[in-house]
């Protein structure tokens, strides 16, 4: 540590020591004051001198061994009892230069040699020697009185405090630096962590305008790393990550950033690329490095990775969040294509990302601007193809007036929380239509899909259902809520109670996509279930495929034994219809009878007679 190390106070340590030395000379009338500083284990350097210029220049920066100083100080005893040293010839004691203690000097004695000096050790509070204050007596030989010596002692203590304070501060800064360093490190791989990525990205964005070279952000996700963790131990997983981190570091250029983003995700920032091709080449190099067979703790593993690449272009000032989002989208696009792929965020993905933003906007305004369009798909009695009910299927109208299918917006609406607003709205309208059709002489059952999110707020859900029933005048017994098998599995006791209350009031719950969820069917015992809907994936392979046909038969039997209704969904061919009829399943739904229809078309269908013949009509103005 240097004595002139700048501190953050009003004065640096150097400034403080210079001021002290100056004051000793100016205010106390000494010829010279020098502060000697222990700056390495066995070296003492003169860091501050006040006095005649030529002496100053000569002394400043000169060094002495700590050993010598200790000997001199031992001879002088402590600061409290200053001992004056007499001048001796250099030849006598070369190792101690020209200072030797003179124990003969008495307090009352005024006979001072002009080159006599005073020394005072500067001690830290723990007793450690920090340095020495040395003072040359006034030329006039006047002996310092007690007050002057007290003042001198005070300056010595001040110098010691100043040095100790600076040392402490330096130590604190060092440990702060260490702490900052540790906080930015990932303990498993030793790479930088998220905070490093965020900071570097901020810096990159701030300087992109001034740069000629291209920066690439690579989002790397290991393929199948979960398997390593599952099949072996987590400790081995950590070792694999550590080894791969070293490979990543070896694959990039000096100056590039390699960081662990979390789990089995890494980020590389490469700052000096010539063009896009160089960025893709780097990604390929990283993939090759990762794919090299790896032996860890006697186990060998083979891993690959998927990489999403985003180039940070000068013309496109973006935010860190947006860059990471794009990298994430590109990486997931790569994952979808299979293992060991590289995807660059380009026009295609940009369009997808923009589409997602559009959908987010659409779902936000879904109820307000009549973007929400419920369609109605008939559910028929298989025996006579009469319409006995309908399922409400949501559509979202986009800016061009096209109807979007649920797979395009459900996940987003679920994520943004808008779905729990959209569903009740659709339910309210469906109840109203069903009541109106009932009054026209078509009493129909209404099936409404309910998301887990909505059901989680069971009190709210019950309230909504009751108010929609009251508003429409529809009988509770006409209503069935369709829940996926998953939803039944996750139900909390509180929700279960709410569902039971609704069932007691005459409403029904149906297991949607039955057979696709969990292996265990124990939930059927505990849940208030009135219906199962056999999933289309089984129906579509009947009657040709034996396994599917057997499963459907088993489901039909199960429903009968449980005393619940059974609906087969996704019926597309007369052969499927015949097969299902033969299994004893009572109800069916599918394109064979009718596609989901707009309200007007559904009304017209009813007016034409409730019994349907097998035919197809296209879904109204659907985009897909
Ligand atoms: P789902 O509940 O299984 O709905 C049946 C889906 O199968 C509907 O797709 C319907 O159009 C389609 N479908 C009906 N018959 C046939 C057929 O013969 N062949 C084929 N290939 N498909 C047929 P859609 O309308 O696209 O709905 C997809 C999914 O979106 C629904 O699957 C449902 O899970 C979900 N969904 C729709 N509306 C809502 C809603 O209001 N809330 C929630 N949570 N989910 C909804
Ligand atoms: Ca459904
Ligand atoms: Ca279904």
């Amino acid at each position: 540590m240097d004595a002139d190390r700048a501190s953050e106070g009003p004065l640096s340590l150097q400034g403080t020591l210079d001021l002290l030395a100056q004051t000793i000379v100016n205010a106390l009338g000494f010829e010279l004051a020098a502060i000697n500083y222990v700056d390495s284990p066995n070296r003492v350097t003169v860091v501050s001198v006040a006095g005649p210029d030529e002496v100053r220049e000569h002394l400043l920066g000169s060094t002495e061994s700590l050993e010598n100083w200790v000997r001199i100080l031992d001879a002088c005893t402590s600061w409290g009892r200053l001992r004056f040293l007499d001048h001796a010839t250099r030849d006598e004691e070369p190792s101690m230069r020209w200072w030797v203690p003179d124990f003969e000097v008495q307090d009352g004695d005024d006979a001072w040699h002009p080159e006599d000096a005073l020394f005072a050790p500067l001690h830290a509070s723990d007793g450690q020697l920090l340095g020495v204050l040395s003072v040359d007596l006034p030329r006039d030989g006047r002996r310092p009185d007690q007050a002057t010596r007290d003042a001198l002692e005070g300056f010595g203590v001040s110098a010691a405090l100043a040095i100790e304070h600076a040392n402490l501060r330096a130590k604190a800064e060092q440990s702060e630096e260490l702490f900052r360093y540790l906080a930015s490190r990932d303990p498993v791989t030793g790479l930088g962590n998220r905070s490093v990525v965020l900071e570097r990205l901020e810096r990159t964005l701030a300087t992109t305008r001034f740069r000629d070279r291209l920066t690439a952000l690579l989002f790397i996700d290991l393929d199948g790393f979960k398997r390593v963790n599952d099949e072996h131990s987590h400790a081995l997983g950590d070792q694999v990550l550590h080894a791969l981190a070293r490979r990543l570091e070896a694959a990039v250029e000096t100056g590039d950033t390699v960081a662990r983003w979390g789990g089995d995700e890494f980020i590389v920032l490469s700052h000096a690329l010539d063009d896009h091709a160089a960025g893709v080449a780097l990604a390929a190099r990283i993939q090759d490095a990762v794919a090299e067979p790896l032996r860890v703790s006697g186990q060998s593993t083979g891993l690959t990775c998927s990489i999403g690449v985003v180039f940070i272009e000068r013309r496109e000032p973006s935010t860190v969040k947006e860059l990471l989002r794009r990298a994430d989208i590109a990486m997931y696009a790569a994952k979808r294509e299979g293992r060991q792929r590289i995807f660059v965020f380009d026009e295609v993905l940009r369009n997808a990302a923009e589409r997602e933003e559009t959908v987010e906007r659409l779902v936000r305004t879904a109820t307000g601007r009549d973007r929400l369009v419920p369609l109605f798909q008939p559910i028929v009695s298989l025996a006579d193809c009469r319409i006995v009910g309908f399922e409400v299927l949501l559509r979202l109208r986009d800016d061009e007036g096209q109807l979007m299918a649920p797979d395009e917006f459900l996940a987003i609406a679920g994520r943004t929380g808008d779905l729990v607003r959209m569903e009740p709205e659709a339910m309210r309208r469906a109840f109203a239509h069903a009541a109106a059709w009932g009054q026209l002489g078509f009493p129909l059952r209404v099936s409404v899909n309910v998301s887990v999110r909505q059901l989680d707020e069971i009190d709210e859900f019950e309230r909504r259902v009751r108010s929609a029933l009251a508003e429409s005048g529809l009988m509770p017994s006409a209503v069935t809520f369709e829940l996926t098998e998953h939803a039944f599995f996750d139900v909390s006791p509180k929700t279960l109670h709410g569902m039971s209350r609704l069932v007691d009031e005459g409403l029904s719950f149906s297991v949607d996509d039955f057979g696709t969820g969990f292996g265990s069917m124990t939930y059927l015992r505990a849940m208030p279930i009135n219906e199962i809907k056999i999933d289309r994936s089984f129906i579509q392979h009947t009657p040709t495929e034996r396994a599917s046909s057997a499963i459907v038969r088993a489901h039909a039997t199960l429903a009968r034994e449980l005393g619940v209704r059974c609906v087969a969904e996704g019926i597309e061919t007369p052969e499927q219809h015949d097969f299902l009829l033969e299994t004893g399943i009572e109800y069916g739904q599918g394109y064979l009878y009718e596609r989901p229809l707009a309200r007007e078309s559904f009304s017209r269908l009813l007016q034409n007679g409730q019994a349907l013949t097998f035919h197809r009509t296209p879904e109204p103005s659907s985009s897909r």
Side-chain angles (χ1 to χ4, degrees), residues 350-460:
R350 191 188 311 274
N351 290 344
E354 274 165 15
R355 176 74 179 168
E356 196 175 311
E357 263 167 46
T358 307
V359 173
E360 274 185 28
R361 179 175 54 77
L362 291 179
V363 296
R364 236 186 353 260
T365 58
T367 45
R369 287 166 42 201
D370 206 23
R371 295 213 176 263
L372 204 62
V373 183
L375 294 188
F376 307 92
Q377 187 178 31
I379 296 173
V380 302
S381 140
L382 288 178
D384 53 11
C385 292
R386 279 176 65 82
I387 303 174
V388 295
F390 60 87
E391 178 177 359
V392 187
L393 293 159
L394 273 185
R395 296 291 181 272
L396 196 62
R397 199 188 298 282
D398 67 14
D399 292 325
E400 282 79 49
Q402 297 286 308
L403 293 184
M404 273 193 290
D407 62 350
E408 271 196 88
F409 65 84
L410 269 189
I412 294 173
R415 204 181 57 222
T416 60
D418 289 300
L419 187 61
V420 292
R421 246 179 349 89
M422 293 159 71
E423 282 182 337
E425 171 71 18
M427 172 174 74
R428 239 176 26 80
R429 289 204 241 158
F431 283 11
H433 298 322
W437 287 323
Q439 282 182 345
L440 290 175
F442 308 108
L444 301 175
R445 300 192 55 82
V446 192
S447 291
V448 180
N449 293 290
V450 177
S451 65
V452 191
R453 282 276 289 277
Q454 208 192 159
L455 209 68
D456 277 345
E457 307 286 331
I458 189 72
D459 296 339
E460 186 67 2

Side-chain angles (χ1 to χ4, degrees), residues 391 449 482 511-514 533-536 569 589:
E391 178 177 359
N449 293 290
E482 295 189 7
V511 188
D512 205 350
D513 307 339
F514 187 75
K533 274 189 107 164
I534 305 176
D535 192 64
R536 191 177 79 221
E569 68 179 5
Q589 176 184 355

Side-chain angles (χ1 to χ4, degrees), residues 161-227:
L161 280 177
I163 293 172
E164 186 172 22
H165 181 77
N167 283 355
L168 283 177
R169 184 166 11 225
K171 264 202 205 109
E173 273 167 16
Q174 269 171 1
S175 55
E176 212 174 284
E177 243 165 62
L178 183 70
F179 180 76
R180 259 205 303 275
Y181 176 80
L182 289 177
S184 70
R185 287 292 107 178
D186 166 55
V188 172
T189 60
L191 296 175
N193 60 18
R194 272 176 189 235
S195 66
V196 169
V197 173
L198 297 176
E199 190 215 301
R200 298 278 153 83
L201 276 177
E202 285 289 357
R203 225 186 309 153
T204 304
L205 280 182
T207 54
T208 305
R209 275 181 300 136
F210 313 110
R211 266 183 227 244
D212 293 332
R213 314 293 290 280
L214 191 65
T215 297
L217 165 61
L218 276 61
F219 198 155
I220 304 159
D221 187 285
L222 300 179
D223 303 320
F225 178 70
K226 197 177 165 304
R227 209 195 54 235

